Amino acid sequence: MKRIGIIGAMALEIELLKNNININTSKNIAGFDFFLGDIDNKDVIITRCGEGKVNAASCTQILIDRFGVDSIINTGIAGGLHESVKICDVVISSNVTHHDVRKAQMENCFPYRECFQADEKLIEFAVEACESHHSENWNYHIGRIVSGESFIQDIEIKKNLLRDYSPHCVEMEGSAIGHVAHINNIPFVVIRSISDNADDEATISYNAFETIAANKSAEIVLSMLQML
């Protein structure tokens, strides 16, 4: 893997990574800041796409078109959905999909897929990284990640997502990154640490754990870079 693109939605999700990259140059394209450099002798580009799927898709396409990345890792935080997923656990994407687009539309319109598969090799590296960091205080999971244009903080919506998609967690960017990576034939994986349970107390939990969870996800990505 020659050049690795790393995307976080918010500044706090890439702060630890930026602190560890030897930045050679930075560029601003279409309002997105791209930091080019190296980590552990790996050619890396780190960027913050902002919240939401449109921002994430736009930023991902720029990474591919303008910077020629060979693989993409999305890092950040998410709301836990599956009953086995706890606060500060890590979810590695097996696949990603949009929860706010009908399945029939996904299957019948380009690119004719209900979900987008994460790269098996990147998943293996993520698992190895999690194993190297693992402790009694948190666990890691491999499963579906769903994305939509809203912060989920309603127990009824959570139940519906579990019923319809059987996901491990929910956020706002991963499926768009996976979608764009797929149509460009670029390997990707989404790494998310859980900040809340996507329920009626989500906002309180999010405020308490967002930085802890963001840093945990970034630590996993840093370990992955040592292995790639």
Side-chain angles (χ1 to χ4, degrees), residues 1-208:
M1 296 179 181
K2 298 177 181 179
R3 173 169 280 184
I4 305 156
I6 302 174
I7 305 175
M10 299 180 292
L12 66 90
E13 292 174 325
I14 63 169
E15 182 176 1
L16 182 62
L17 292 161
K18 282 179 62 182
N19 290 339
N20 281 270
I21 186 176
N22 299 310
I23 298 176
N24 299 322
T25 187
S26 61
K27 296 183 179 181
N28 183 283
I29 301 174
F32 303 113
D33 290 318
F34 297 88
F35 303 95
L36 291 73
D38 63 273
I39 299 177
D40 290 315
N41 297 314
K42 308 299 191 309
D43 187 3
V44 172
I45 300 176
I46 298 172
T47 184
R48 179 175 71 88
C49 66
E51 292 86 346
K53 293 192 299 177
V54 175
N55 284 332
S58 301
C59 190
T60 302
Q61 193 64 57
I62 292 171
L63 271 178
I64 296 168
D65 286 345
R66 299 291 292 272
F67 298 105
V69 296
D70 300 286
S71 60
I72 294 174
I73 302 172
N74 174 220
T75 182
I77 59 181
L81 294 176
H82 193 277
E83 62 181 8
S84 67
V85 176
K86 310 302 181 186
I87 299 293
C88 289
D89 277 4
V90 171
V91 177
I92 303 164
S93 64
S94 57
N95 62 75
V96 295
T97 191
H98 313 299
H99 70 72
D100 52 1
V101 180
R102 291 184 301 116
K103 290 183 181 181
Q105 183 176 341
M106 294 283 289
E107 293 168 348
N108 295 324
C109 300
F110 179 80
Y112 311 107
R113 298 182 67 87
E114 193 243 321
C115 65
F116 306 99
Q117 300 294 327
D119 181 72
E120 290 294 335
K121 199 65 180 177
L122 289 174
I123 293 173
E124 290 177 12
F125 285 127
V127 168
E128 190 174 345
C130 285
E131 289 283 359
S132 70
H133 283 271
H134 193 237
S135 74
E136 295 180 356
N137 297 323
W138 64 277
N139 205 347
Y140 70 89
H141 315 261
I142 303 171
R144 169 171 286 185
I145 297 177
V146 294
S147 311
E149 296 291 352
S150 59
F151 178 75
I152 304 301
Q153 52 184 336
D154 184 300
I155 190 65
E156 292 304 318
I157 295 176
K158 177 177 180 176
K159 289 178 180 177
N160 292 339
L161 291 177
L162 283 166
R163 179 196 65 208
D164 295 338
Y165 296 98
S166 300
H168 275 62
C169 67
V170 60
E171 33 84 313
M172 298 174 64
E173 297 82 27
S175 66
I177 292 168
H179 189 144
V180 174
H182 169 77
I183 63 177
N184 286 276
N185 198 31
I186 300 293
F188 79 93
V189 72
V190 178
I191 311 294
R192 295 282 180 154
S193 182
I194 303 303
S195 60
D196 60 86
N197 288 317
D199 55 16
D200 297 336
E201 298 181 356
T203 300
I204 296 172
S205 177
Y206 177 92
N207 291 335

